[in-house]
Amino acid sequence: MKAHHLLLQLNTWANRFHLPHFGVYSENRPLTFFINKKQFSTGPSTFNKDKPHCNVGTIGHIDHGKTTLSAALTTILARKATDKSNRTLAMSYEDIDRAPDERARGITINACHVNFETSKRTYAHTDCPGHIDYIKNMICGANQMDAAILVVAATDGQMPQTREHLMLAKQIGIEHIVVYINKVDLVDKETVELVELELRELLNSYGFDDESTPFVTGSAKCALEGEQPEIGEASILKLCDVLDSYVPDPVRDIDGTLLIPLEQAFSVPGRGTVAVGTIERGILHKGQHIELLGHGRSMRTIATDVQIFKKSVPKAVAGENVGVLLRGVKPEYIERGMVLAEKDTVTQGDTFEAQIYVLKSSEGGRHQAITNKYMHQTFCGFWSLNSCLLLDDSQKMIMPGDTSTVKLFLRKPMVAKQGQRFSMREQKRTTVTGVITGQLESVGEKFQGFNYTPVNRTSYLTEKQQKKERQ
């Protein structure tokens, strides 16, 4: 039997009986598992945190070069790295858009996380989809960002998703925008200047400071292919300098109680279920007892391992994107929008008080007023599900352009905090934006085709766990 196969079997037995793992396959690289193109390490390789950390990402219209720019950032910085401790890993376009559907259609569908490092900071970079059909993945990715890189092709200028992504970024609470005008190798200088003027007006219309917003012009494709370095590699290095200087160090709530909104989960053979998310507040320690809740479910578990970009760490703090190995949890039990938290520190509910604003048609919203029991898909943080707006008896309707206080009734109980922003979308357009002002007792109303029937929790447990609960 080969050495790495033997170690795989030994570590499988160690995990089953909760024993320490038996080491790594080589001196420099730990034994790793691959599942659905994701990697989760079983070895003790560590992740050094000697620089400030920041979460950024690319937003913008489809085919404007967001994924190409993400690949160029990692490729150029990995090539320029002189410090042996630099953790930037070069990733190609195919490594980022790795799902079969993404490769077949040539578009980004799922938000992808990569990391790169400059001389001043480490960055977790989220490549968001630009297609309107996958706007919920863009919203989920943008909720993790401290700053956004708006990518606009000089050949097209501002487009529908450019405007919508800016509007959503403002609603989510992103304050710092850096604009990268891409594909300048295909147009003349006057066209680039005209695109910049139009974008500054657009930024101003959505409440961003257009005068202080930095603009970088270049070609991500040239940078990735090593052509025309004056607009290729030079523009990537300039973009990194702008991120270091323009975006301030984020203030993290490290002293608060632990809260991790989850983005996805996958299974690692021989180890268990890994939940992926960005820590919103607090500190997560390896071996910590935590609670998993959301979508009307709750379960207590243990974080048996914590990893940051495939490197095991003894603890992770607010602002870091982590993979958490959970004991005794099936991957199908976890849905996007659930949270990991310290035991008995957060609650989930289905009724909240909210202050809303109905967007006018000129803002991309509705022509008609909304009435009581207005039901549509709601996006709030990492979760999205159907919800219903319940108006007061004194209110018959809310006209576009008006604000009002309403009850937000969710199809499933979820975790939502005071001050959290949300948006409601109808037929691929945002119609209502609002902020949660408090949690209320459940209204307990039944609407045909709306209410959710909870699934029996034991159906998600293993046979051993079910037997233990019956005893």
Side-chain angles (χ1 to χ4, degrees):
M1 183 181 292
K2 293 183 179 180
H4 64 282
H5 289 158
L6 177 60
L7 280 175
L8 174 61
Q9 188 64 46
L10 290 173
N11 283 331
T12 301
W13 293 336
N15 184 69
R16 182 178 301 170
F17 297 104
H18 310 297
L19 298 173
H21 283 267
F22 287 88
V24 298
Y25 171 59
S26 66
E27 181 180 354
N28 298 320
R29 180 169 179 171
L31 175 68
T32 55
F33 292 106
F34 291 86
I35 179 71
N36 295 331
K37 296 291 184 178
K38 294 184 180 294
Q39 188 181 34
F40 194 81
S41 170
T42 63
S45 180
T46 58
F47 186 89
N48 297 321
K49 307 176 193 177
D50 51 358
K51 294 180 181 179
H53 181 75
C54 187
N55 297 315
V56 297
T58 48
I59 60 174
H61 195 76
I62 185 173
D63 286 336
H64 277 207
K66 298 181 296 299
T67 303
T68 306
L69 178 61
S70 300
L73 277 166
T74 60
T75 302
I76 297 298
L77 290 176
R79 186 191 308 159
K80 289 290 184 180
T82 56
D83 186 358
K84 293 183 179 180
S85 64
N86 191 297
R87 296 177 292 273
T88 302
L89 176 65
M91 298 189 69
S92 65
Y93 188 100
E94 292 75 18
D95 291 332
I96 298 175
D97 279 352
R98 56 191 170 215
D101 290 346
E102 292 177 319
R103 293 187 177 185
R105 299 181 61 183
I107 61 173
T108 301
I109 296 176
N110 302 306
C112 178
H113 302 280
V114 299
N115 71 310
F116 62 87
E117 181 178 339
T118 65
S119 59
K120 296 182 179 179
R121 282 194 188 132
T122 60
Y123 289 89
H125 179 91
T126 306
D127 180 51
C128 292
H131 199 287
I132 191 171
D133 290 342
Y134 307 104
I135 193 70
K136 68 178 182 180
N137 293 337
M138 177 269 163
I139 295 173
C140 178
N143 270 281
Q144 307 168 52
M145 298 180 191
D146 301 310
I149 304 171
L150 177 65
V151 183
V152 182
T155 52
D156 297 328
Q158 56 175 284
M159 296 289 282
Q161 292 309 110
T162 308
R163 295 187 285 272
E164 184 166 26
H165 283 197
L166 271 180
M167 179 185 68
L168 291 171
K170 189 64 178 180
Q171 292 172 359
I172 290 169
I174 297 176
E175 298 180 357
H176 299 90
I177 298 285
V178 177
V179 180
Y180 185 85
I181 301 180
N182 194 22
K183 304 182 182 181
V184 298
D185 55 322
L186 303 179
V187 298
D188 54 26
K189 185 177 180 181
E190 288 73 17
T191 303
V192 175
E193 293 176 351
L194 180 61
V195 169
E196 182 176 339
L197 287 174
E198 292 177 344
L199 287 173
R200 290 192 183 275
E201 292 180 2
L202 183 65
L203 288 166
N204 184 60
S205 66
Y206 285 112
F208 293 99
D209 188 354
D210 58 301
E211 294 183 358
S212 63
T213 299
F215 279 68
V216 179
T217 59
S219 171
K221 185 172 183 288
C222 289
L224 196 58
E225 297 177 351
E227 301 175 354
Q228 302 186 50
E230 66 280 359
I231 62 172
E233 181 178 308
S235 69
I236 300 299
L237 297 177
K238 182 180 178 182
L239 176 61
C240 294
D241 291 339
V242 168
L243 289 174
D244 286 340
S245 59
Y246 177 69
V247 180
D249 290 339
V251 178
R252 308 295 188 191
D253 184 8
I254 298 177
D255 298 328
T257 56
L258 178 67
L259 183 66
I260 310 176
L262 298 180
E263 180 183 354
Q264 59 183 325
F266 57 94
S267 178
V268 178
R271 296 222 64 191
T273 298
V274 176
V276 180
T278 300
I279 302 178
E280 187 172 307
R281 66 171 186 254
I283 302 175
L284 175 64
H285 296 271
K286 185 175 180 179
Q288 182 175 347
H289 289 255
I290 51 180
E291 187 174 12
L292 172 67
L293 67 168
H295 291 278
R297 310 170 195 159
S298 63
M299 178 186 290
R300 294 191 174 183
T301 182
I302 298 175
T304 55
D305 196 9
V306 180
Q307 294 201 4
I308 301 175
F309 287 106
K310 308 168 190 141
K311 303 295 182 181
S312 183
V313 294
K315 68 176 182 179
V317 300
E320 294 178 328
N321 185 268
V322 296
V324 187
L325 182 64
L326 301 176
R327 178 180 298 174
V329 181
K330 288 186 176 182
E332 56 266 27
Y333 184 82
I334 302 175
E335 292 187 48
R336 181 160 68 183
M338 298 183 79
V339 302
L340 291 173
E342 292 183 22
K343 296 184 295 183
D344 302 324
T345 58
V346 296
T347 58
Q348 52 183 334
D350 61 3
T351 308
F352 299 89
E353 184 183 55
Q355 185 81 16
I356 67 167
Y357 170 75
V358 182
L359 276 72
K360 298 180 289 187
S361 58
S362 60
E363 300 170 318
R366 289 173 56 89
H367 294 275
Q368 300 87 10
I370 66 171
T371 56
N372 190 35
K373 300 180 182 178
Y374 175 77
M375 300 181 188
H376 275 289
Q377 191 82 351
T378 300
F379 298 84
C380 182
F382 281 74
W383 55 262
S384 61
L385 73 163
N386 284 338
S387 68
C388 175
L389 294 183
L390 304 177
L391 309 186
D392 293 337
D393 295 336
S394 59
Q395 287 181 303
K396 299 296 182 181
M397 63 183 68
I398 305 175
M399 298 297 294
D402 289 348
T403 60
S404 180
T405 300
V406 299
K407 289 181 180 178
L408 180 67
F409 182 46
L410 307 180
R411 184 170 180 264
K412 300 179 183 179
M414 297 296 294
V415 176
K417 63 181 181 179
Q418 184 176 352
Q420 191 164 345
R421 296 181 176 274
F422 66 91
S423 301
M424 300 184 73
R425 291 178 58 81
E426 172 187 349
Q427 298 177 352
K428 297 183 180 181
R429 60 181 177 180
T430 302
T431 56
V432 176
T433 179
V435 59
I436 293 175
T437 56
Q439 184 171 336
L440 305 174
E441 292 186 5
S442 177
V443 295
E445 293 196 37
K446 300 293 182 182
F447 304 125
Q448 184 176 1
F450 177 79
N451 298 87
Y452 170 72
T453 302
V455 179
N456 187 358
R457 172 180 170 271
T458 58
S459 63
Y460 291 98
L461 302 180
T462 62
E463 294 181 3
K464 185 177 180 180
Q465 290 171 328
Q466 291 181 19
K467 183 178 179 179
K468 185 177 179 180
E469 288 208 348
R470 287 195 296 267
Q471 293 174 348

